[in-house]
Amino acid sequence: MKLHNFKLNLKQKIYLGILAGIIVLNIAAWCAPAFCDWYIAHIFPIWINTYGRFTGLFPFSVGELLLAAGVMLTVAALLLGFVLLFTLLLPQFQKNGRKKLAGGAVKFYRGLTWILLGVLLIMTLNCTLLYHGSGFNEKYLGIEERDYTFEELLAVRNYVVRRCNELSAVMERDDNGDIVYKGDMAEEAILQMQKLGETYAGLRGYYPRPKPLIFSDFMCQQYMQGYYFPFSMEANYNDVMYLTNKPATMCHELAHLKGFIYEDDANFVGFLACISSDDIFFEYSGYLSVLYYLDNDFYDAIGGNRERYFEEEQILSQVHADNIFVKQEEWDRINDTALIDTEVVDAVSDSFVETSLKLNGVEDGMISYNRVVKLLLQYYEGDVF
Protein backbone atom coordinates (compact mmCIF):
# COMPACT_ATOMS: atom_id res chain seq x y z
CA MET A 1 0.00 0.00 0.00
CA LYS A 2 1.36 3.41 -0.96
CA LEU A 3 1.68 5.87 1.88
CA HIS A 4 -0.36 8.58 0.13
CA ASN A 5 -3.31 6.15 -0.17
CA PHE A 6 -3.30 5.35 3.55
CA LYS A 7 -6.44 6.62 5.27
CA LEU A 8 -7.71 6.27 8.82
CA ASN A 9 -11.26 5.16 9.40
CA LEU A 10 -13.50 6.93 11.92
CA LYS A 11 -12.76 4.51 14.78
CA GLN A 12 -9.02 4.89 14.29
CA LYS A 13 -9.33 8.67 14.23
CA ILE A 14 -11.33 8.62 17.48
CA TYR A 15 -8.82 6.26 19.09
CA LEU A 16 -5.81 8.37 18.10
CA GLY A 17 -7.63 11.54 19.12
CA ILE A 18 -8.31 10.19 22.63
CA LEU A 19 -4.71 8.92 22.88
CA ALA A 20 -3.40 12.35 21.89
CA GLY A 21 -5.67 13.94 24.51
CA ILE A 22 -4.29 11.60 27.16
CA ILE A 23 -0.71 12.52 26.23
CA VAL A 24 -1.52 16.24 26.36
CA LEU A 25 -3.20 15.87 29.77
CA ASN A 26 -0.20 13.98 31.16
CA ILE A 27 2.17 16.68 29.90
CA ALA A 28 -0.08 19.33 31.49
CA ALA A 29 -0.11 17.38 34.76
CA TRP A 30 3.68 17.41 35.01
CA CYS A 31 4.17 20.96 33.74
CA ALA A 32 1.19 22.97 35.01
CA PRO A 33 0.21 22.49 38.70
CA ALA A 34 -2.21 25.43 38.43
CA PHE A 35 -4.12 23.56 35.72
CA CYS A 36 -4.31 20.48 37.99
CA ASP A 37 -5.70 22.60 40.84
CA TRP A 38 -8.31 24.06 38.48
CA TYR A 39 -9.22 20.58 37.26
CA ILE A 40 -9.58 19.24 40.83
CA ALA A 41 -11.79 22.17 41.83
CA HIS A 42 -14.06 22.34 38.78
CA ILE A 43 -13.97 19.15 36.67
CA PHE A 44 -13.10 16.26 39.02
CA PRO A 45 -16.31 16.76 41.11
CA ILE A 46 -18.34 15.94 37.98
CA TRP A 47 -17.20 12.32 38.09
CA ILE A 48 -18.26 11.73 41.71
CA ASN A 49 -21.58 13.46 41.04
CA THR A 50 -22.35 11.39 37.92
CA TYR A 51 -21.07 7.85 37.72
CA GLY A 52 -19.99 8.01 41.37
CA ARG A 53 -23.66 8.43 42.26
CA PHE A 54 -24.56 5.60 39.89
CA THR A 55 -22.06 3.08 41.33
CA GLY A 56 -23.14 4.22 44.79
CA LEU A 57 -26.55 2.67 44.11
CA PHE A 58 -25.02 -0.81 44.29
CA PRO A 59 -24.52 -2.36 47.75
CA PHE A 60 -21.29 -4.05 46.63
CA SER A 61 -18.00 -2.67 45.36
CA VAL A 62 -18.32 -2.14 41.59
CA GLY A 63 -14.62 -1.28 41.41
CA GLU A 64 -13.67 -4.61 42.95
CA LEU A 65 -15.68 -6.45 40.28
CA LEU A 66 -14.09 -4.32 37.55
CA LEU A 67 -10.68 -5.21 38.94
CA ALA A 68 -11.58 -8.92 38.89
CA ALA A 69 -12.82 -8.54 35.30
CA GLY A 70 -9.52 -6.90 34.38
CA VAL A 71 -7.59 -9.84 35.80
CA MET A 72 -9.76 -12.30 33.85
CA LEU A 73 -9.32 -10.31 30.62
CA THR A 74 -5.55 -10.32 31.11
CA VAL A 75 -5.53 -14.08 31.65
CA ALA A 76 -7.79 -14.57 28.60
CA ALA A 77 -5.47 -12.44 26.44
CA LEU A 78 -2.45 -14.47 27.50
CA LEU A 79 -4.21 -17.80 26.94
CA LEU A 80 -5.46 -16.73 23.53
CA GLY A 81 -1.94 -15.68 22.58
CA PHE A 82 -0.59 -19.10 23.57
CA VAL A 83 -3.35 -20.86 21.60
CA LEU A 84 -2.55 -18.83 18.48
CA LEU A 85 1.13 -19.63 18.83
CA PHE A 86 0.31 -23.31 19.34
CA THR A 87 -1.78 -23.46 16.14
CA LEU A 88 1.01 -21.83 14.14
CA LEU A 89 3.43 -24.49 15.35
CA LEU A 90 1.08 -27.30 14.28
CA PRO A 91 1.04 -27.61 10.47
CA GLN A 92 -1.71 -30.24 10.68
CA PHE A 93 -4.10 -27.68 12.18
CA GLN A 94 -6.72 -26.97 9.51
CA LYS A 95 -6.23 -23.76 7.57
CA ASN A 96 -9.88 -22.77 7.91
CA GLY A 97 -9.83 -23.37 11.67
CA ARG A 98 -6.69 -21.27 12.02
CA LYS A 99 -8.29 -18.50 9.97
CA LYS A 100 -11.44 -18.43 12.11
CA LEU A 101 -9.40 -18.46 15.30
CA ALA A 102 -7.21 -15.62 14.03
CA GLY A 103 -10.28 -13.60 13.05
CA GLY A 104 -11.81 -14.02 16.49
CA ALA A 105 -8.50 -13.11 18.12
CA VAL A 106 -8.25 -9.89 16.08
CA LYS A 107 -11.71 -8.83 17.27
CA PHE A 108 -10.83 -9.70 20.89
CA TYR A 109 -7.54 -7.79 20.90
CA ARG A 110 -9.14 -4.87 19.09
CA GLY A 111 -11.73 -4.65 21.83
CA LEU A 112 -8.96 -4.99 24.41
CA THR A 113 -7.11 -1.99 22.99
CA TRP A 114 -10.24 0.13 23.49
CA ILE A 115 -10.47 -1.07 27.08
CA LEU A 116 -6.80 -0.21 27.66
CA LEU A 117 -7.41 3.24 26.19
CA GLY A 118 -10.30 3.71 28.62
CA VAL A 119 -8.08 2.61 31.51
CA LEU A 120 -5.39 5.12 30.52
CA LEU A 121 -7.95 7.91 30.23
CA ILE A 122 -9.56 7.20 33.61
CA MET A 123 -6.20 6.84 35.36
CA THR A 124 -5.12 10.18 33.87
CA LEU A 125 -8.32 11.97 34.90
CA ASN A 126 -8.80 10.36 38.31
CA CYS A 127 -5.20 9.83 39.45
CA THR A 128 -2.40 11.47 37.47
CA LEU A 129 -3.88 14.98 37.43
CA LEU A 130 -4.63 14.71 41.15
CA TYR A 131 -1.05 13.77 42.01
CA HIS A 132 0.23 17.02 40.53
CA GLY A 133 -2.15 19.38 42.31
CA SER A 134 -1.50 21.29 45.52
CA GLY A 135 -1.44 19.49 48.86
CA PHE A 136 -3.72 20.12 51.84
CA ASN A 137 -1.30 22.52 53.54
CA GLU A 138 -0.89 24.63 50.42
CA LYS A 139 -4.65 24.86 49.95
CA TYR A 140 -5.90 25.32 53.50
CA LEU A 141 -3.34 25.51 56.29
CA GLY A 142 -1.15 28.03 54.50
CA ILE A 143 1.71 27.48 56.94
CA GLU A 144 5.21 28.08 55.64
CA GLU A 145 7.29 24.91 55.38
CA ARG A 146 9.93 24.69 58.10
CA ASP A 147 11.75 22.16 60.22
CA TYR A 148 10.02 21.47 63.51
CA THR A 149 11.93 21.09 66.75
CA PHE A 150 12.11 17.99 68.89
CA GLU A 151 10.10 19.78 71.59
CA GLU A 152 7.29 20.48 69.12
CA LEU A 153 7.17 16.85 68.01
CA LEU A 154 7.21 15.71 71.63
CA ALA A 155 4.33 18.04 72.58
CA VAL A 156 2.03 16.73 69.83
CA ARG A 157 3.07 13.13 70.46
CA ASN A 158 2.33 13.38 74.19
CA TYR A 159 -1.00 15.11 73.53
CA VAL A 160 -2.17 12.34 71.19
CA VAL A 161 -0.97 9.66 73.63
CA ARG A 162 -2.99 11.28 76.43
CA ARG A 163 -6.12 11.46 74.28
CA CYS A 164 -5.78 7.80 73.29
CA ASN A 165 -5.27 6.75 76.92
CA GLU A 166 -8.31 8.76 78.05
CA LEU A 167 -10.61 7.52 75.31
CA SER A 168 -9.59 3.87 75.70
CA ALA A 169 -11.10 3.94 79.20
CA VAL A 170 -14.57 5.04 78.03
CA MET A 171 -15.08 2.65 75.11
CA GLU A 172 -17.99 0.19 75.28
CA ARG A 173 -16.57 -3.34 75.30
CA ASP A 174 -17.79 -6.93 75.25
CA ASP A 175 -16.80 -9.69 77.70
CA ASN A 176 -13.56 -10.27 75.77
CA GLY A 177 -12.54 -6.64 76.04
CA ASP A 178 -13.17 -5.92 72.36
CA ILE A 179 -14.78 -2.60 71.49
CA VAL A 180 -18.45 -2.67 70.55
CA TYR A 181 -19.94 -0.15 68.12
CA LYS A 182 -23.69 -0.07 67.52
CA GLY A 183 -24.03 2.93 65.19
CA ASP A 184 -23.98 3.22 61.40
CA MET A 185 -20.29 3.73 60.81
CA ALA A 186 -20.53 4.56 57.09
CA GLU A 187 -23.22 7.20 57.64
CA GLU A 188 -21.24 8.78 60.47
CA ALA A 189 -18.16 8.92 58.23
CA ILE A 190 -20.13 10.74 55.53
CA LEU A 191 -21.62 13.10 58.11
CA GLN A 192 -18.20 14.01 59.49
CA MET A 193 -16.70 14.54 56.06
CA GLN A 194 -19.56 16.87 55.14
CA LYS A 195 -19.11 18.67 58.45
CA LEU A 196 -15.41 19.11 57.66
CA GLY A 197 -16.46 20.56 54.31
CA GLU A 198 -17.94 23.53 56.17
CA THR A 199 -14.37 24.52 57.06
CA TYR A 200 -12.51 23.26 53.98
CA ALA A 201 -14.37 24.00 50.74
CA GLY A 202 -12.73 21.18 48.79
CA LEU A 203 -14.44 18.63 51.02
CA ARG A 204 -17.97 19.87 50.38
CA GLY A 205 -20.62 18.00 48.42
CA TYR A 206 -21.84 14.49 47.81
CA TYR A 207 -20.19 11.39 49.28
CA PRO A 208 -21.10 7.81 48.37
CA ARG A 209 -21.45 5.26 51.14
CA PRO A 210 -18.12 3.52 51.87
CA LYS A 211 -18.29 -0.15 50.89
CA PRO A 212 -16.66 -3.25 52.39
CA LEU A 213 -14.47 -5.30 50.08
CA ILE A 214 -15.46 -8.88 49.24
CA PHE A 215 -11.79 -9.88 49.09
CA SER A 216 -10.92 -8.36 52.45
CA ASP A 217 -8.82 -11.40 53.36
CA PHE A 218 -6.58 -10.66 50.37
CA MET A 219 -6.44 -7.01 51.46
CA CYS A 220 -5.21 -8.17 54.86
CA GLN A 221 -2.39 -10.07 53.16
CA GLN A 222 -1.41 -6.79 51.50
CA TYR A 223 -1.69 -4.96 54.85
CA MET A 224 -4.12 -2.59 53.14
CA GLN A 225 -6.89 -0.90 55.10
CA GLY A 226 -8.78 0.63 52.22
CA TYR A 227 -8.77 1.31 48.52
CA TYR A 228 -9.88 4.15 46.26
CA PHE A 229 -11.16 2.82 42.94
CA PRO A 230 -10.71 5.53 40.25
CA PHE A 231 -12.73 3.43 37.80
CA SER A 232 -15.89 3.49 39.90
CA MET A 233 -15.35 6.50 42.19
CA GLU A 234 -15.89 4.42 45.31
CA ALA A 235 -14.38 4.42 48.79
CA ASN A 236 -13.73 0.84 49.87
CA TYR A 237 -12.50 -0.57 53.14
CA ASN A 238 -11.13 -3.81 54.52
CA ASP A 239 -13.99 -5.40 56.45
CA VAL A 240 -11.80 -7.95 58.26
CA MET A 241 -9.44 -5.49 59.96
CA TYR A 242 -10.08 -4.61 63.60
CA LEU A 243 -12.96 -2.24 64.28
CA THR A 244 -10.87 0.73 65.42
CA ASN A 245 -9.31 1.10 61.96
CA LYS A 246 -12.58 1.51 60.10
CA PRO A 247 -13.75 5.08 60.86
CA ALA A 248 -10.42 6.71 59.99
CA THR A 249 -10.04 4.46 56.93
CA MET A 250 -13.51 5.32 55.63
CA CYS A 251 -12.83 9.04 55.97
CA HIS A 252 -9.35 8.58 54.43
CA GLU A 253 -10.81 6.89 51.33
CA LEU A 254 -13.62 9.48 51.06
CA ALA A 255 -10.93 12.19 51.07
CA HIS A 256 -9.50 10.66 47.88
CA LEU A 257 -12.89 11.17 46.23
CA LYS A 258 -12.49 14.91 46.78
CA GLY A 259 -9.14 15.00 45.01
CA PHE A 260 -6.82 14.60 48.03
CA ILE A 261 -4.84 11.79 46.45
CA TYR A 262 -1.65 12.08 48.53
CA GLU A 263 -1.67 9.50 51.30
CA ASP A 264 -0.42 11.92 53.95
CA ASP A 265 -3.21 14.37 53.04
CA ALA A 266 -5.84 11.61 53.17
CA ASN A 267 -4.44 10.41 56.51
CA PHE A 268 -4.71 13.93 57.86
CA VAL A 269 -8.24 14.52 56.53
CA GLY A 270 -9.35 11.19 57.99
CA PHE A 271 -7.84 12.22 61.32
CA LEU A 272 -9.56 15.62 61.30
CA ALA A 273 -12.94 14.17 60.35
CA CYS A 274 -12.80 11.61 63.16
CA ILE A 275 -11.60 13.87 65.99
CA SER A 276 -14.26 16.45 65.04
CA SER A 277 -17.01 13.92 65.70
CA ASP A 278 -19.19 13.88 68.79
CA ASP A 279 -18.97 10.10 68.55
CA ILE A 280 -16.17 9.11 70.95
CA PHE A 281 -15.44 5.91 69.02
CA PHE A 282 -14.75 7.95 65.88
CA GLU A 283 -12.61 10.31 67.92
CA TYR A 284 -10.64 7.38 69.32
CA SER A 285 -10.13 5.94 65.83
CA GLY A 286 -8.83 9.30 64.62
CA TYR A 287 -6.20 9.59 67.34
CA LEU A 288 -5.21 5.94 66.97
CA SER A 289 -4.70 6.42 63.23
CA VAL A 290 -1.78 8.83 63.81
CA LEU A 291 -0.49 7.53 67.14
CA TYR A 292 2.25 5.25 65.85
CA TYR A 293 3.41 7.73 63.18
CA LEU A 294 4.11 10.23 65.96
CA ASP A 295 5.47 7.68 68.39
CA ASN A 296 7.85 6.17 65.83
CA ASP A 297 9.18 9.62 64.86
CA PHE A 298 9.71 10.42 68.54
CA TYR A 299 11.52 7.11 69.11
CA ASP A 300 13.75 7.77 66.09
CA ALA A 301 14.44 11.31 67.30
CA ILE A 302 15.84 10.02 70.59
CA GLY A 303 17.96 7.44 68.80
CA GLY A 304 16.02 4.51 70.23
CA ASN A 305 17.02 5.41 73.79
CA ARG A 306 14.57 3.37 75.86
CA GLU A 307 15.31 5.15 79.14
CA ARG A 308 14.54 8.48 77.52
CA TYR A 309 11.44 7.02 75.90
CA PHE A 310 9.97 5.97 79.26
CA GLU A 311 10.41 9.46 80.68
CA GLU A 312 7.47 10.67 78.56
CA GLU A 313 3.75 9.87 78.39
CA GLN A 314 3.35 6.13 78.02
CA ILE A 315 0.84 4.38 75.76
CA LEU A 316 -1.41 2.18 77.88
CA SER A 317 -1.46 -1.56 77.15
CA GLN A 318 -5.17 -1.28 76.35
CA VAL A 319 -4.42 1.29 73.65
CA HIS A 320 -1.79 -1.02 72.14
CA ALA A 321 -4.37 -3.81 72.19
CA ASP A 322 -6.92 -1.61 70.44
CA ASN A 323 -4.47 -0.30 67.85
CA ILE A 324 -3.99 -3.52 65.89
CA PHE A 325 -4.54 -4.19 62.22
CA VAL A 326 -6.13 -7.65 62.40
CA LYS A 327 -6.92 -9.88 65.37
CA GLN A 328 -4.79 -13.00 65.72
CA GLU A 329 -7.67 -15.42 65.16
CA GLU A 330 -8.42 -13.69 61.86
CA TRP A 331 -4.77 -13.92 60.84
CA ASP A 332 -4.80 -17.65 61.64
CA ARG A 333 -7.92 -18.15 59.50
CA ILE A 334 -6.53 -16.09 56.61
CA ASN A 335 -3.15 -17.85 56.55
CA ASP A 336 -4.75 -21.29 56.83
CA THR A 337 -6.93 -20.69 53.74
CA ALA A 338 -4.67 -18.43 51.65
CA LEU A 339 -3.74 -19.60 48.16
CA ILE A 340 -0.55 -17.50 48.21
CA ASP A 341 1.72 -16.92 51.19
CA THR A 342 1.08 -13.59 52.95
CA GLU A 343 4.75 -12.57 52.79
CA VAL A 344 4.74 -12.99 49.01
CA VAL A 345 1.48 -11.03 48.60
CA ASP A 346 2.76 -8.25 50.88
CA ALA A 347 6.08 -7.97 49.03
CA VAL A 348 4.39 -7.78 45.61
CA SER A 349 1.83 -5.27 46.91
CA ASP A 350 4.54 -3.05 48.41
CA SER A 351 6.49 -3.08 45.15
CA PHE A 352 3.38 -2.18 43.15
CA VAL A 353 2.37 0.69 45.47
CA GLU A 354 5.93 2.01 45.67
CA THR A 355 6.30 1.97 41.88
CA SER A 356 2.87 3.53 41.32
CA LEU A 357 3.56 6.40 43.73
CA LYS A 358 6.97 7.16 42.25
CA LEU A 359 5.62 7.07 38.68
CA ASN A 360 3.08 9.68 39.77
CA GLY A 361 5.76 11.99 41.10
CA VAL A 362 5.76 10.98 44.79
CA GLU A 363 9.53 10.65 45.08
CA ASP A 364 9.65 9.10 48.55
CA GLY A 365 7.06 6.44 47.70
CA MET A 366 5.40 4.73 50.65
CA ILE A 367 7.37 6.82 53.12
CA SER A 368 4.99 9.63 52.11
CA TYR A 369 2.40 8.11 54.46
CA ASN A 370 4.61 9.30 57.34
CA ARG A 371 4.43 12.91 56.20
CA VAL A 372 1.14 13.17 58.09
CA VAL A 373 3.34 14.00 61.11
CA LYS A 374 4.37 17.33 59.55
CA LEU A 375 0.71 18.13 58.82
CA LEU A 376 -0.13 17.38 62.46
CA LEU A 377 2.66 19.66 63.64
CA GLN A 378 1.41 22.41 61.34
CA TYR A 379 -2.18 21.94 62.49
CA TYR A 380 -1.37 22.04 66.21
CA GLU A 381 1.17 24.84 65.90
CA GLY A 382 0.58 27.21 68.80
CA ASP A 383 -2.08 25.01 70.42
CA VAL A 384 -0.15 22.28 72.23
CA PHE A 385 3.41 23.60 72.00
Side-chain angles (χ1 to χ4, degrees), residues 356-369:
S356 177
L357 288 170
K358 289 185 175 180
L359 285 175
N360 280 290
V362 182
E363 295 180 359
D364 52 354
M366 291 177 68
I367 296 175
S368 64
Y369 285 71

Side-chain angles (χ1 to χ4, degrees), residues 44-197:
F44 184 68
I46 295 173
W47 315 139
I48 186 65
N49 282 297
T50 52
Y51 71 84
R53 285 183 182 270
F54 173 71
T55 57
L57 297 174
F58 297 91
F60 53 84
S61 172
V62 176
E64 191 173 23
L65 294 183
L66 290 174
L67 194 61
V71 171
M72 288 189 287
L73 275 175
T74 302
V75 172
L78 292 172
L79 288 176
L80 182 57
F82 282 124
V83 170
L84 285 171
L85 181 62
F86 185 69
T87 59
L88 289 173
L89 295 175
L90 289 177
Q92 66 270 31
F93 194 83
Q94 292 184 0
K95 186 176 181 180
N96 288 339
R98 185 183 296 117
K99 188 175 181 181
K100 288 181 180 179
L101 181 61
V106 167
K107 291 180 180 178
F108 173 82
Y109 286 119
R110 188 177 292 158
L112 193 60
T113 59
W114 280 97
I115 292 173
L116 290 174
L117 183 69
V119 169
L120 286 173
L121 179 61
I122 292 172
M123 288 299 292
T124 297
L125 295 174
N126 292 353
C127 281
T128 305
L129 288 170
L130 308 188
Y131 272 112
H132 295 276
S134 300
F136 193 89
N137 176 50
E138 296 172 275
K139 287 183 178 179
Y140 298 116
L141 299 184
I143 298 173
E144 186 177 347
E145 289 280 342
R146 68 177 178 85
D147 292 328
Y148 286 84
T149 65
F150 170 76
E151 287 72 23
E152 290 171 323
L153 169 64
L154 180 60
V156 176
R157 180 263 178 194
N158 283 347
Y159 172 73
V160 171
V161 170
R162 285 195 299 272
R163 293 300 295 136
C164 287
N165 290 344
E166 292 163 0
L167 289 165
S168 69
V170 295
M171 291 294 108
E172 183 178 352
R173 301 179 185 273
D174 62 18
D175 293 339
N176 295 320
D178 291 324
I179 295 174
V180 176
Y181 186 75
K182 297 176 181 177
D184 188 329
M185 207 178 292
E187 283 301 316
E188 179 66 16
I190 292 172
L191 178 65
Q192 293 311 313
M193 290 297 290
Q194 290 174 333
K195 180 180 174 182
L196 206 58

